[in-house]
Amino acid sequence: MTEYTLDTAREALLALQRKMAAYEHALGLLQYDGATTAPKATAENRGASIAVLSEEVYRLGTSKETVELLEYLDSRKDELTEKERRMVYLLLKDIRDMQKIPMKEYIEYEELTVIADDVWHKAKEASDFEMFRPYLEKLFEMNKRFAKYIEPDKDEYEHCLGQYEEGLTTATLDKFFSKLREGIVPLLKKVSEKEQVDDGIRFGEFPIDKQEELSYYLMELIGLDLDHVGLSTTEHPFTTSLGSHFDERITTHYFEDDFVCSMYSVIHEGGHALYDTGSADELAYTVLDGGTAMSIHESQSRFYENIIGRSRAFCKLVFPKLKELFPKQMEGRTAEDLYRAVNKAEPSLIRTEADELTYSLHVMIRYELEKAVFAGEIEVKDLPREWNRLYKEYLGIDIPDDKHGVLQDSHWAGGLMGYFPSYALGSAYGAQFLAKMKESVDVDKCIENGDFAPINEWNRENIWKHGSLYTPAQILDRVLGEEFNPDFYINYLSEKCKDIYGV
């Protein structure tokens, strides 16, 4: 047993986290490469490397030396700083959870997600759910099993939800989604009775190289540091930190016939990157580096994508750039045309391309399906049928094929069961953050002037710089000084519909 003093234990704590960050860096690079530029037939090769690295991570995290160090620090937590106490708490929690999972199964799961993601890409391209089904069944089964290992007395799905927001329950989400349904469905009905918005400005021929130029323009415009944030392309856009907040990667997907899809995915992923790179530098290479929960993360990504990016002021701001890049396509068009087009409210097939009004209905469908699978009410083989049924019930649309239906998202292929509710929660958090921000920042004026510094600084001081120091509930309490209230989001959507449709 190592004999520690408080000072040597503190040094060992930082050294442990730097080593963990290095392993996560290597694993992250392998996963990022697999989703972006790796040749199609290399998943098995990456899986083998990930299995070896995952075993090392498991051994490091559950070793006698690591546990002794953390338990020593935990026994003297009253003498630690606030940040040190949080580090020890998070590390001990992860380690105690990991210890309950047999190493062989932990490694098997890490390898499975690599292979499953590769199969998902192929299945989506072929629009063939049956190709992906065996892997998805295994992922759901292993998530259930791990949940029972870690919290045997807790509902398995609630355990999964808690991985993305500490303390989140189905009771809380059922109440939240019920509130959204009550506010959104009547609005959608009123909008559907109005003459639909002309969104022709977004469709045409938009060369990929020009869209890429637009992407970098948008990244710089919202305040991303391109020396620390990279951009690539993938089937399903995402953001990831590699090693620390000093190396952030975002991805997008270009469609030559519609520039809006990539434009807003870049702003969305850019919001994630702003949050991560906004962590205080002193948190680098520790478990506090980066966002505290996916709901708070999504509050930032959807804040920049929608509250800022789909505002009239922002459309007016970027329209000259669109005219410069796409002069023929923008001929005879105006910034107001763009504003109305990107705020068109209409049921659609794809979640990532959904308008603000219908977006949460897409999330509710995924939440209900996950909950039903975990409860044993449906089986994985039933997902395409139930997906199609709920899309018809909630959005009134028919699903043409698996590619545009149950296979559209990459999350399940990565084993991220319980993640989806974060998108709707984040959207609602963002609307309430906006109301608070407006008490001290003239948000509209900042957007009109293309000056995002005051907006970013407010987010940095209140949210970003703290990394994972505080729980989501603590962040909400510190920032808002009042309870979370989804009415802010419903009122925001109502005002937008009134502006666009007069309802």
Side-chain angles (χ1 to χ4, degrees):
M1 180 176 178
T2 304
E3 293 292 332
Y4 290 110
T5 66
L6 192 56
D7 286 341
T8 60
R10 281 174 160 149
E11 291 173 6
L13 176 65
L14 293 177
L16 169 67
Q17 291 177 93
R18 288 188 75 89
K19 192 169 186 178
M20 287 179 164
Y23 277 123
E24 292 302 324
H25 192 167
L27 286 164
L29 276 170
L30 285 166
Q31 291 160 349
Y32 177 77
D33 180 59
T36 53
T37 60
K40 286 186 176 181
T42 59
E44 187 174 344
N45 181 56
R46 284 192 310 282
S49 296
I50 286 173
V52 171
L53 288 170
S54 296
E55 181 174 347
E56 292 302 309
V57 169
Y58 185 96
R59 291 185 185 280
L60 174 64
T62 59
S63 71
K64 180 182 176 182
E65 294 78 12
T66 296
V67 174
E68 286 178 353
L69 167 66
L70 294 173
E71 288 182 343
Y72 170 81
L73 287 166
D74 189 49
S75 71
R76 300 185 63 173
K77 59 188 172 187
D78 291 344
E79 300 171 69
L80 302 180
T81 67
E82 181 184 32
K83 292 183 177 66
E84 289 169 339
R85 284 195 298 273
R86 181 68 172 164
M87 289 174 192
V88 171
Y89 167 79
L90 290 174
L91 285 166
L92 269 177
K93 181 181 182 301
D94 285 347
I95 286 167
R96 286 167 178 160
D97 288 352
M98 192 181 293
Q99 286 176 322
K100 296 172 185 176
I101 301 172
M103 183 174 72
K104 182 179 178 182
E105 293 183 36
Y106 175 84
I107 296 166
E108 178 189 357
Y109 184 79
E110 293 299 306
E111 194 168 7
L112 173 63
T113 58
V114 178
I115 304 301
D117 183 72
D118 182 62
V119 174
W120 168 76
H121 279 85
K122 295 172 183 174
K124 182 178 179 181
E125 187 176 348
S127 193
D128 183 358
F129 179 76
E130 284 302 303
M131 183 190 303
F132 179 54
R133 180 169 66 88
Y135 301 90
L136 186 57
E137 287 173 339
K138 186 69 172 175
L139 285 164
F140 267 104
E141 186 272 325
M142 292 191 80
N143 269 277
K144 288 182 182 181
R145 195 189 323 155
F146 288 1
K148 277 303 178 192
Y149 285 153
I150 296 168
E151 295 184 283
D153 298 325
K154 191 172 185 177
D155 176 83
E156 292 104 318
Y157 188 49
E158 293 202 348
H159 167 81
C160 292
L161 291 171
Q163 302 304 297
Y164 303 102
E165 173 148 351
E166 195 173 333
L168 188 61
T169 66
T170 53
T172 298
L173 285 172
D174 287 344
K175 183 178 178 181
F176 169 66
F177 281 125
S178 176
K179 183 81 170 178
L180 289 192
R181 247 193 319 267
E182 291 171 9
I184 290 172
V185 173
L187 269 177
L188 185 58
K189 186 176 185 299
K190 291 178 182 178
V191 166
S192 66
E193 294 169 351
K194 292 289 184 176
E195 183 179 350
Q196 197 46 271
V197 168
D198 174 16
D199 61 351
I201 188 174
R202 65 184 292 177
F203 302 112
E205 294 181 10
F206 300 94
I208 299 300
D209 63 327
K210 294 298 183 182
Q211 289 195 59
E212 186 174 34
E213 190 176 337
L214 174 63
S215 295
Y216 284 106
Y217 161 78
L218 293 168
M219 290 168 68
E220 289 191 286
L221 179 64
I222 65 174
L224 288 170
D225 178 359
L226 299 190
D227 287 338
H228 292 281
V229 182
L231 173 69
S232 190
T233 58
T234 190
E235 177 63 30
H236 190 104
F238 66 91
T239 302
T240 189
S241 296
L242 297 177
S244 75
H245 69 268
F246 296 128
D247 187 351
E248 197 78 8
R249 310 294 175 91
I250 72 172
T251 70
T252 190
H253 187 103
Y254 296 112
F255 296 92
E256 289 189 277
D257 60 350
D258 181 359
F259 76 93
V260 165
C261 293
S262 176
M263 174 176 169
Y264 284 96
S265 78
V266 167
I267 302 172
H268 177 98
E269 303 304 337
H272 282 304
L274 283 168
Y275 186 7
D276 281 337
T277 57
S279 285
D281 287 351
E282 66 189 69
L283 302 182
Y285 312 111
T286 75
V287 290
L288 302 186
D289 196 18
T292 186
M294 289 317 305
S295 56
I296 303 296
H297 240 302
E298 296 301 339
S299 78
Q300 299 305 286
S301 61
R302 293 191 59 77
F303 177 89
Y304 282 87
E305 175 193 357
N306 295 318
I307 291 175
I308 288 181
R310 296 183 195 272
S311 67
R312 180 177 273 111
F314 189 83
C315 291
K316 185 177 180 181
L317 176 67
V318 302
F319 191 69
K321 187 66 176 181
L322 294 177
K323 288 178 69 175
E324 174 194 325
L325 293 172
F326 312 115
K328 182 179 177 181
Q329 296 87 337
M330 294 298 125
E331 187 176 352
R333 297 290 190 172
T334 66
E336 183 67 16
D337 292 334
L338 177 64
Y339 169 67
R340 295 178 67 80
V342 300
N343 286 289
K344 180 179 180 179
E346 182 180 50
S348 58
L349 292 167
I350 308 300
R351 175 187 62 84
T352 56
E353 299 166 19
D355 59 85
E356 286 184 274
L357 183 59
T358 62
Y359 183 86
S360 289
L361 299 179
H362 290 260
V363 176
M364 273 190 270
I365 288 169
R366 288 151 177 79
Y367 167 64
E368 291 190 12
L369 290 173
E370 288 183 343
K371 190 166 62 165
V373 171
F374 273 86
E377 296 168 0
I378 64 172
E379 297 179 26
V380 170
K381 67 181 177 64
D382 303 319
L383 282 171
R385 183 195 70 217
E386 290 302 297
W387 181 288
N388 298 354
R389 180 183 68 81
L390 289 174
Y391 262 80
K392 186 68 173 178
E393 179 182 333
Y394 282 10
L395 290 159
I397 57 178
D398 296 307
I399 304 297
D401 52 41
D402 291 341
K403 180 177 182 178
H404 294 89
V406 71
L407 288 175
Q408 66 179 263
D409 293 304
S410 66
H411 300 62
W412 287 341
L416 306 183
M417 288 71 182
Y419 182 118
F420 282 114
S422 302
Y423 289 111
L425 281 171
S427 297
Y429 291 166
Q432 199 164 353
F433 286 152
L434 173 69
K436 195 67 178 177
M437 184 186 291
K438 283 187 170 181
E439 293 178 8
S440 57
V441 178
D442 189 338
V443 176
D444 295 330
K445 193 69 174 177
C446 288
I447 301 172
E448 286 174 12
N449 294 337
D451 178 14
F452 292 93
I455 295 171
N456 292 350
E457 186 59 26
W458 189 94
N459 281 323
R460 181 177 293 104
E461 285 300 309
N462 287 282
I463 302 170
W464 302 347
K465 74 176 186 181
H466 303 298
S468 294
L469 178 59
Y470 302 115
T471 67
Q474 288 172 328
I475 287 285
L476 291 171
D477 183 61
R478 289 171 61 90
V479 175
L480 302 174
E482 59 185 348
E483 289 187 357
F484 165 58
N485 184 352
D487 284 341
F488 281 90
Y489 184 47
I490 294 169
N491 292 338
Y492 163 77
L493 293 174
S494 298
E495 288 300 313
K496 181 70 72 75
C497 288
K498 184 177 180 180
D499 185 35
I500 301 292
Y501 290 96
V503 298

